[in-house]
Amino acid sequence: SLTEKDAQRLRGMLEKIGDCVLVVGGGPMLKVHVHSNEPGKVLQYCQRFGMLSGIKVDNMREQHRNILDEDVPDNTNTQEAKKVEPTKELGIVVVAAGEGISEIFRELGVDRVIAGGQSMNPSIEDIAQAVLEVGAKTVFVFPNNKNIILAAEQAAQMMEDVRVIVIPSRSIPQGITSVIAFDPDASAEENEQAMNDALPTVQSCLVTYAVRDTTLNGNAIKQGDILGMINGDLVLSGSSQEDVSLSLLQKTVTEEHETISIFYGEEVTKEKADALCAQVEKSFPDCEVQMYAGGQPLYYYIFGVE
């Protein structure tokens, strides 16, 4: 249930990025109106207070034309912007953080990688710009984070001349497996089906740290403690990256799984990652273990289990 205090807090947040702010209501619903040049941030702020419904974003077409206006060649005197003509049928845009992870996506044939992830979500405009730069009639967008799916869907709605299909990947491992399912010779509809079908085949585990004191199942968690997440849900905490990692995998890996992919982050040395990889191989002898230098911020390790 939403209170007046929630309404005041949201109103204060929106006033920092827009004007004509109206936040009214209470109980199960707040009605929000705001004029802003950053609609992506507006939606992200509102999402912190609950589910969104009845979303209406005006003037998106004008913003779309402004993006196209930037494509006018420097050596032309024409006053009319030239639209980007598609050069191929299908393209792919992904959101990813970490040079190693970004390079993996590039090697898989992705057209554009947008820098972003937890705590640094790209805007609707960032996603729309990347879609236009692909130069394809149909572009698949992989958010790779549950908090970016909404912005990707809003970007899809604002595009007039490009068909945008959002594949709702909620993690990097999901995104990689789904992109692997892409077939450039298949139709857009066939690819959409195949890539969506690939999403639930992947279990994702994340190892990060607590940014503030909190609780988990009634147990106190202190700032700096190591946290373990499975498919976006916080499930355990500890003091050791290695112990939390192995505990996560013990909760996730079943006899049906065959592969464990490890992506180690920018704060983890290769020596430390090698040691963990050896422990994982010993603990799960029936699985093939693959390790990559992901270079991602915030997360010490990202695991994909298939």
Side-chain angles (χ1 to χ4, degrees):
S1 180
L2 296 165
T3 65
E4 176 58 29
K5 187 175 180 180
D6 292 323
Q8 291 177 356
R9 183 182 168 205
L10 177 56
R11 191 179 299 115
M13 294 166 69
L14 295 178
E15 286 174 347
K16 296 178 181 179
I17 58 171
D19 52 29
C20 299
V21 177
L22 176 66
V23 181
V24 296
M29 183 178 296
L30 291 177
K31 184 175 181 180
V32 179
H33 173 88
V34 58
H35 294 174
S36 176
N37 291 326
E38 300 178 275
K41 284 189 177 181
V42 170
L43 295 172
Q44 289 162 13
Y45 286 168
C46 293
Q47 197 174 31
R48 298 180 187 180
F49 292 83
M51 295 182 63
L52 307 183
S53 65
I55 299 170
K56 183 181 180 183
V57 182
D58 292 324
N59 294 327
M60 287 294 99
R61 290 186 178 182
E62 182 177 345
Q63 293 182 18
H64 175 69
R65 293 191 190 99
N66 290 340
I67 294 172
L68 292 176
D69 289 345
E70 296 174 6
D71 193 61
V72 179
D74 292 338
N75 60 352
T76 180
N77 293 321
T78 179
Q79 298 297 314
E80 185 177 349
K82 294 185 178 180
K83 294 184 178 180
V84 179
E85 291 297 329
T87 58
K88 58 181 181 178
E89 291 295 322
L90 305 175
I92 298 177
V93 168
V94 304
V95 180
E99 185 52 42
I101 290 174
S102 298
E103 185 57 33
I104 290 171
F105 277 118
R106 294 187 191 102
E107 291 176 356
L108 291 174
V110 165
D111 297 281
R112 291 288 186 278
V113 178
I114 305 172
Q118 192 69 23
S119 81
M120 49 181 180
N121 299 343
S123 69
I124 294 173
E125 293 77 12
D126 292 334
I127 298 171
Q129 181 65 51
V131 166
L132 288 175
E133 290 173 353
V134 170
K137 294 180 181 178
T138 300
V139 177
F140 297 98
V141 176
F142 292 78
N144 295 330
N145 186 298
K146 66 178 182 180
N147 296 326
I148 303 175
I149 293 174
L150 179 62
E153 291 173 342
Q154 290 295 313
Q157 292 179 18
M158 70 181 276
M159 307 305 292
E160 293 180 342
D161 302 309
V162 181
R163 181 188 180 193
V164 178
I165 299 175
V166 178
I167 306 298
S169 52
R170 298 165 66 90
S171 68
I172 292 297
Q174 272 196 342
I176 290 175
T177 297
S178 190
V179 167
I180 290 174
F182 175 72
D183 180 358
D185 296 323
S187 68
E189 291 72 22
E190 290 170 333
N191 272 301
E192 181 180 9
Q193 182 68 52
M195 293 190 291
N196 274 314
D197 288 347
L199 294 179
T201 67
V202 188
Q203 303 296 309
S204 303
C205 302
L206 308 174
V207 179
T208 184
Y209 57 91
V211 297
R212 61 181 180 274
D213 292 349
T214 184
T215 59
L216 173 62
N217 299 326
N219 298 316
I221 295 176
K222 294 183 179 181
Q223 181 178 349
D225 282 356
I226 307 301
L227 305 180
M229 306 174 70
I230 299 177
N231 297 329
D233 295 324
L234 178 61
V235 296
L236 56 90
S237 65
S239 58
S240 163
Q241 297 173 22
E242 292 74 20
D243 290 346
V244 169
S245 296
L246 292 171
S247 295
L248 278 179
L249 292 174
Q250 291 287 358
K251 288 178 174 292
T252 304
V253 178
T254 69
E255 59 183 14
E256 297 179 355
H257 291 123
E258 301 176 348
T259 304
I260 300 173
S261 300
I262 305 173
F263 305 88
Y264 64 91
E266 63 180 0
E267 296 184 25
V268 178
T269 64
K270 187 178 186 302
E271 291 73 21
K272 196 171 183 179
D274 283 336
L276 176 63
C277 184
Q279 289 181 282
V280 172
E281 289 176 332
K282 183 178 179 180
S283 300
F284 305 95
D286 295 331
C287 289
E288 177 186 356
V289 180
Q290 305 169 342
M291 189 175 73
Y292 307 91
Q296 70 273 5
L298 297 179
Y299 299 109
Y300 299 117
Y301 295 100
I302 297 174
F303 300 96
V305 179
E306 300 179 67

